[in-house]
Amino acid sequence: STAIDIRSVVKRYGTATALHGVSLAIADNEFFTLLGPSGCGKTTLLRCIAGFEDVTEGEIHLFGQNIAGLEPNHRPVNTVFQQYALFPHMTVLENVAFGLKMKGVGLSERTARAGRMLEMVHLSAFADRLPSQLSGGQQQRVALARALAPEPKVLLLDEPLSALDLKLRQAMRVELKTLQEQTGITFIFVTHDQEEALTMSDRIAVMSQGRVQQIGTARDIYEAP
Ligand code: ADP
Ligand code: ADP
């Protein structure tokens, strides 16, 4: 079934047009990537899906509901950014549990769920450490666990690996792909890195200057003339 239906979305900032009528349907459980150079509109589209921005024209439907009518707190969407901004004074476990606290989940339940999330990203041994005691890759995995803990139906990832060095980035690609398959959550991944897109995605939308130029599997994109 369709998780996200993006219908003729136009986004203007004053006189500048960031999105010129983008239409896309993203399936439930898909690892979907928005690929394109800096300034092509990837982040803007992600922010519109998250509801951080209103679209100027067009509509975005999440599981059949127009997001314009959904309260931000009721959108089944969570986001991971390049700058993962963990709370420095909270332990790793407290960081992961924090989003659940905001949703009103009680202490014992959120501690249990945060613990399971840390297992999933192989960081159980670090639960009581502070973020500053972890490497960059480990911190990014904590940010992922934190975003997954409230069990969103859709996870938006805006260049989450670009702050990591090459070796770590390659390892994290595999880990992200596995996490997506394990959880069945729809991932929308933003990157300007073609290799990253080709190795991880079920499908890719190639964007340029506020438009989708091409949509297909890695093979479709790679073999296109
Ligand atoms: P990408 O994520 O692909 O790098 P963005 O979505 O950030 O691209 O930006 C697309 C275009 O919209 C760029 O020309 C950018 O300068 C412009 N833009 C993005 N956000 C704003 C904003 N808040 N105000 C004005 N222009 C913006
Ligand atoms: P990226 O290139 O990683 O997508 P940017 O550095 O372009 O991100 O944008 C970071 C933030 O600045 C975003 O919130 C975006 O909306 C905003 N922004 C981008 N371009 C402009 C612009 N021309 N004017 C105002 N805000 C902008």
Side-chain angles (χ1 to χ4, degrees), residues 21-57:
V22 169
S23 296
L24 279 179
I26 299 171
D28 202 4
N29 294 348
E30 201 169 16
F31 195 123
F32 193 93
T33 296
L34 303 173
L35 171 68
S38 183
C40 74
K42 306 180 297 294
T43 299
T44 299
L45 186 56
L46 214 62
R47 292 175 59 82
C48 289
I49 296 169
F52 300 148
E53 301 270 7
D54 293 326
V55 302
T56 310
E57 289 171 25

Coordinates of all heavy atoms in Angstrom, one line a residue, residues 21-57:
G21 N 6.4 21.5 -8.5 CA 5.4 20.5 -8.9 C 5.9 19.1 -8.8 O 6.2 18.4 -9.9
V22 N 6.2 18.6 -7.6 CA 6.7 17.2 -7.4 C 5.6 16.3 -7.1 O 4.8 16.5 -6.2 CB 7.7 17.3 -6.3 CG1 8.1 15.8 -5.9 CG2 9.0 18.1 -6.6
S23 N 5.6 15.2 -7.9 CA 4.6 14.1 -7.6 C 5.4 12.8 -7.4 O 6.2 12.5 -8.2 CB 3.6 13.9 -8.7 OG 2.8 15.1 -8.8
L24 N 5.0 12.1 -6.3 CA 5.7 10.8 -6.0 C 4.8 10.0 -5.1 O 4.1 10.5 -4.3 CB 6.9 11.1 -5.0 CG 8.2 11.6 -5.4 CD1 9.0 11.8 -4.1 CD2 8.9 10.6 -6.3
A25 N 4.8 8.7 -5.3 CA 4.1 7.8 -4.4 C 5.2 6.8 -3.8 O 5.9 6.2 -4.5 CB 3.0 7.0 -5.1
I26 N 5.2 6.8 -2.5 CA 6.2 6.0 -1.8 C 5.5 4.9 -1.1 O 4.5 5.1 -0.3 CB 7.1 6.8 -0.8 CG1 7.8 7.9 -1.6 CG2 8.0 6.0 0.0 CD1 8.5 9.0 -0.7
A27 N 5.9 3.6 -1.3 CA 5.2 2.5 -0.7 C 5.5 2.2 0.7 O 6.6 2.6 1.2 CB 5.5 1.2 -1.6
D28 N 4.6 1.6 1.4 CA 4.8 1.2 2.8 C 6.0 0.2 2.8 O 6.1 -0.6 1.9 CB 3.5 0.5 3.3 CG 3.5 0.5 4.8 OD1 4.4 1.1 5.5 OD2 2.5 -0.1 5.4
N29 N 6.9 0.3 3.8 CA 8.0 -0.6 3.9 C 9.2 -0.3 2.9 O 10.1 -1.1 2.8 CB 7.7 -2.0 3.8 CG 6.8 -2.5 4.9 OD1 6.7 -1.8 5.9 ND2 6.3 -3.7 4.8
E30 N 9.1 0.8 2.2 CA 10.1 1.0 1.2 C 11.3 1.8 1.7 O 11.1 2.6 2.7 CB 9.4 1.9 0.0 CG 10.2 1.8 -1.3 CD 9.5 2.3 -2.5 OE1 8.5 3.1 -2.3 OE2 9.9 2.0 -3.6
F31 N 12.5 1.5 1.2 CA 13.6 2.3 1.5 C 13.8 3.2 0.3 O 14.2 2.8 -0.8 CB 14.9 1.5 1.7 CG 16.0 2.2 2.3 CD1 16.6 1.8 3.5 CD2 16.6 3.4 1.7 CE1 17.7 2.5 4.1 CE2 17.6 4.1 2.3 CZ 18.2 3.6 3.5
F32 N 13.3 4.5 0.4 CA 13.2 5.4 -0.7 C 14.2 6.5 -0.6 O 14.3 7.1 0.5 CB 11.8 5.9 -0.8 CG 11.5 6.6 -2.1 CD1 10.9 5.9 -3.1 CD2 11.8 8.0 -2.3 CE1 10.6 6.6 -4.4 CE2 11.5 8.6 -3.5 CZ 10.9 7.9 -4.5
T33 N 14.9 6.8 -1.6 CA 16.0 7.9 -1.5 C 15.7 9.0 -2.4 O 15.3 8.8 -3.6 CB 17.3 7.2 -1.9 OG1 17.7 6.3 -0.9 CG2 18.4 8.3 -1.9
L34 N 15.9 10.2 -1.9 CA 15.9 11.5 -2.7 C 17.3 11.8 -3.0 O 18.1 12.1 -2.0 CB 15.2 12.6 -2.0 CG 13.7 12.4 -1.5 CD1 13.2 13.5 -0.6 CD2 12.8 12.2 -2.7
L35 N 17.7 11.8 -4.2 CA 19.1 12.0 -4.6 C 19.2 13.2 -5.5 O 18.4 13.4 -6.4 CB 19.6 10.7 -5.4 CG 21.0 10.8 -6.1 CD1 22.1 10.9 -5.0 CD2 21.2 9.7 -7.0
G36 N 20.2 14.1 -5.2 CA 20.4 15.2 -6.1 C 21.4 16.2 -5.4 O 21.7 16.1 -4.2
P37 N 21.9 17.1 -6.2 CA 23.0 18.0 -5.7 C 22.4 19.0 -4.7 O 21.2 19.2 -4.6 CB 23.4 18.8 -7.0 CG 22.2 18.7 -7.9 CD 21.6 17.4 -7.6
S38 N 23.3 19.7 -4.0 CA 22.9 20.7 -3.0 C 22.0 21.7 -3.7 O 22.3 22.2 -4.8 CB 24.1 21.3 -2.4 OG 23.8 22.3 -1.5
G39 N 20.9 22.1 -3.0 CA 20.0 23.2 -3.5 C 18.9 22.7 -4.5 O 18.1 23.5 -4.9
C40 N 18.8 21.3 -4.7 CA 17.8 20.8 -5.6 C 16.4 20.7 -5.0 O 15.5 20.4 -5.7 CB 18.3 19.5 -6.3 SG 18.2 18.1 -5.2
G41 N 16.3 20.8 -3.7 CA 15.0 20.8 -3.0 C 14.7 19.6 -2.2 O 13.6 19.4 -1.7
K42 N 15.8 18.8 -1.9 CA 15.6 17.5 -1.1 C 15.1 17.8 0.3 O 14.1 17.3 0.8 CB 16.9 16.7 -1.1 CG 17.5 16.4 -2.4 CD 18.8 15.6 -2.2 CE 19.9 16.3 -1.5 NZ 20.5 17.5 -2.1
T43 N 15.8 18.7 0.9 CA 15.5 19.0 2.3 C 14.1 19.7 2.4 O 13.3 19.4 3.3 CB 16.5 19.9 3.0 OG1 17.8 19.2 3.0 CG2 16.2 20.3 4.4
T44 N 13.8 20.5 1.5 CA 12.5 21.2 1.4 C 11.4 20.2 1.3 O 10.4 20.2 2.1 CB 12.4 22.2 0.3 OG1 13.5 23.2 0.4 CG2 11.1 22.9 0.2
L45 N 11.6 19.2 0.5 CA 10.5 18.2 0.3 C 10.4 17.4 1.6 O 9.3 17.1 2.1 CB 10.9 17.2 -0.9 CG 9.8 16.2 -1.2 CD1 8.5 16.8 -1.5 CD2 10.3 15.4 -2.4
L46 N 11.5 17.0 2.2 CA 11.5 16.3 3.5 C 10.8 17.1 4.6 O 10.0 16.6 5.3 CB 12.9 16.0 3.9 CG 13.2 14.7 4.7 CD1 12.8 13.5 3.8 CD2 14.6 14.6 5.1
R47 N 11.1 18.4 4.6 CA 10.5 19.3 5.6 C 9.0 19.4 5.4 O 8.2 19.5 6.3 CB 11.1 20.7 5.7 CG 12.6 20.6 6.2 CD 13.3 22.0 6.1 NE 12.6 23.0 6.8 CZ 12.7 23.2 8.1 NH1 13.5 22.4 8.8 NH2 12.0 24.1 8.7
C48 N 8.5 19.4 4.1 CA 7.1 19.4 3.8 C 6.4 18.1 4.3 O 5.3 18.1 4.8 CB 6.9 19.6 2.3 SG 7.3 21.3 1.8
I49 N 7.1 17.0 4.1 CA 6.5 15.7 4.5 C 6.5 15.6 6.0 O 5.5 15.1 6.6 CB 7.4 14.5 4.0 CG1 7.4 14.4 2.4 CG2 6.9 13.2 4.6 CD1 8.4 13.5 1.8
A50 N 7.5 16.2 6.7 CA 7.5 16.2 8.2 C 6.4 17.1 8.7 O 6.1 17.0 9.9 CB 8.9 16.6 8.7
G51 N 6.0 18.1 7.9 CA 5.0 19.1 8.3 C 5.7 20.3 9.0 O 5.1 21.1 9.6
F52 N 7.1 20.4 8.8 CA 7.8 21.6 9.3 C 7.5 22.8 8.4 O 7.7 23.9 8.8 CB 9.3 21.4 9.4 CG 9.7 20.2 10.3 CD1 10.9 19.5 10.0 CD2 9.0 19.9 11.4 CE1 11.3 18.5 10.8 CE2 9.5 18.9 12.3 CZ 10.6 18.2 11.9
E53 N 7.1 22.5 7.2 CA 6.8 23.6 6.2 C 5.4 23.3 5.6 O 5.1 22.1 5.4 CB 7.8 23.5 5.0 CG 9.2 23.7 5.4 CD 9.7 25.1 5.4 OE1 8.8 26.0 5.2 OE2 10.9 25.3 5.5
D54 N 4.7 24.3 5.3 CA 3.4 24.1 4.6 C 3.8 24.2 3.1 O 4.6 25.0 2.7 CB 2.4 25.2 4.9 CG 2.0 25.2 6.3 OD1 1.8 24.0 6.8 OD2 1.7 26.2 6.9
V55 N 3.1 23.4 2.3 CA 3.3 23.4 0.8 C 2.6 24.7 0.3 O 1.6 25.1 0.9 CB 2.8 22.2 0.1 CG1 3.5 20.9 0.6 CG2 1.3 22.0 0.2
T56 N 3.1 25.2 -0.8 CA 2.4 26.4 -1.4 C 1.2 25.9 -2.3 O 0.2 26.6 -2.3 CB 3.4 27.2 -2.3 OG1 4.6 27.4 -1.5 CG2 2.9 28.5 -2.7
E57 N 1.5 24.9 -3.0 CA 0.4 24.2 -3.8 C 0.6 22.7 -3.7 O 1.7 22.2 -3.5 CB 0.5 24.6 -5.3 CG 0.2 26.1 -5.6 CD 0.5 26.4 -7.1 OE1 0.6 25.5 -7.9 OE2 0.8 27.6 -7.3

